[in-house]
Amino acid sequence: MAERDWALVGAPNARDLGGLLAADGRRVRAGRLIRTAALGRLTDEDLPVLGKLAPACVVDLRHATEQAVAPSDRLVGEPRVAHLPVYDPAHPVFTYVSAVLLGHDLGAYDALVREGMPAVMAAIYRWFVTGESARVGFGAAVRLAADGANLPLLFHCSAGKDRTGWLSVVLLTALGVDEAAIRADYLRHNELTESLREVLLEAMIRQRPDLDPAVARPLLEVRPEYLDAAYDEVRRVHGSFGAYLRDGLGVTDGTVAALRANLLE
């Protein structure tokens, strides 16, 4: 296990963003930014580990409809909890993914079915850049992370891979971390959850024998092309990541300076 990983049985992809080389040869401080899956499935044995981390703020990127059908986050102490939903229940790509997972009729999604699930996931990542709730939620999360009173900051969505993954990209880019290191952290989700993904896939197929594993598997993974779709959208809409931070997320130069002052060694 890499030293940046936190051994949480109920959130196997939990990891510390500390130690990554960032701006001016400095490194991200350890124990200050933690990315996880939702905390509702933490075990009793996980709680002392979370207590050692002692997050001052927990950012939950899920929508209320997602929270309602999942176990409540298990927390230690009394961290500030910020609900910043990055989700659009009316957007066809989100409703299509839900329909696949829940076994609903896909007749209304012929175009998306033809495109395939990887293309749908790429569309979600493009939406991360342009969607209103995405821009509001991600921008607010960056501002929270820039405030030392909210550190250590733990952030999660449901699986801790897509919304959580893009927020990690945003934070690490603002901190000046190299894109190659950012990509490597993003893709580590697959390594950390390999056995869990197979268990989940088997469970989904038991519940829905008609479910094609080739359709479901892209939902459970992260892939380079998903991240590429978001980066391409940043360049298409804003020209540069700096302009995306400023104009898309409302993150000022002062916020970036505070982020680096509080989070870099």
Side-chain angles (χ1 to χ4, degrees):
M1 182 175 66
E3 64 181 73
R4 292 196 300 114
D5 296 345
W6 286 80
L8 296 174
V9 174
N13 58 352
R15 54 203 187 272
D16 190 338
L17 298 183
L20 295 174
L21 188 62
D24 304 322
R26 303 158 74 190
R27 291 188 182 274
V28 180
R29 291 183 186 274
R32 292 294 178 266
L33 288 176
I34 308 295
R35 55 173 295 178
T36 74
L39 304 177
R41 291 185 171 82
L42 294 187
T43 66
D44 290 344
E45 291 74 20
D46 288 333
L47 297 183
V49 179
L50 186 61
K52 182 181 178 182
L53 171 62
C57 181
V58 173
V59 171
D60 187 342
L61 300 171
R62 295 175 299 174
H63 188 264
T65 56
E66 299 175 278
Q67 294 170 335
V69 297
S72 298
D73 275 359
R74 300 190 72 185
L75 301 173
V76 177
E78 296 183 358
R80 173 183 181 181
V81 177
H83 290 127
L84 302 174
V86 175
Y87 188 81
D88 184 354
H91 195 295
V93 294
F94 286 98
T95 55
Y96 172 63
V97 168
S98 296
V100 170
L101 292 174
L102 297 173
H104 294 168
D105 179 20
L106 302 181
Y109 301 100
D110 286 345
L112 292 176
V113 171
R114 285 194 300 272
E115 288 183 19
M117 189 57 70
V120 169
M121 293 301 297
I124 289 175
Y125 274 70
R126 289 191 293 272
W127 178 88
F128 287 165
V129 176
T130 56
E132 182 177 359
S133 72
R135 290 186 295 105
V136 170
F138 291 136
V142 174
R143 287 185 286 276
L144 286 173
D147 183 344
N150 293 319
L151 302 177
L153 183 138
L154 183 152
F155 57 98
H156 72 79
C157 51
S158 291
K161 66 184 184 74
D162 300 312
R163 288 166 290 187
T164 296
W166 184 245
L167 179 53
S168 295
V169 171
V170 170
L171 288 167
L172 293 175
T173 302
L175 290 170
V177 176
D178 179 77
E179 183 180 321
I182 293 173
R183 284 181 174 273
D185 174 77
Y186 169 79
L187 292 171
R188 286 203 67 232
H189 170 84
N190 291 340
E191 171 194 342
L192 294 170
T193 63
E194 183 175 4
S195 59
L196 175 62
R197 288 201 315 277
E198 295 309 311
V199 170
L200 291 174
L201 187 60
E202 289 174 8
M204 292 168 69
I205 293 173
R206 280 199 304 272
Q207 291 178 345
R208 291 187 53 208
D210 63 323
L211 181 63
D212 183 351
V215 171
R217 194 176 296 278
L219 281 170
L220 304 176
E221 300 173 339
V222 295
R223 296 185 175 184
E225 57 264 35
Y226 302 168
L227 194 54
D228 289 341
Y231 275 130
D232 288 347
E233 192 73 349
V234 165
R235 287 187 287 268
R236 184 187 73 81
V237 176
H238 297 287
S240 70
F241 213 101
Y244 163 62
L245 289 171
R246 182 184 65 247
D247 302 328
L249 302 185
V251 173
T252 65
D253 290 344
T255 298
V256 172
L259 197 72
R260 294 184 176 188
N262 287 321
L263 288 166
L264 296 184
E265 294 177 345

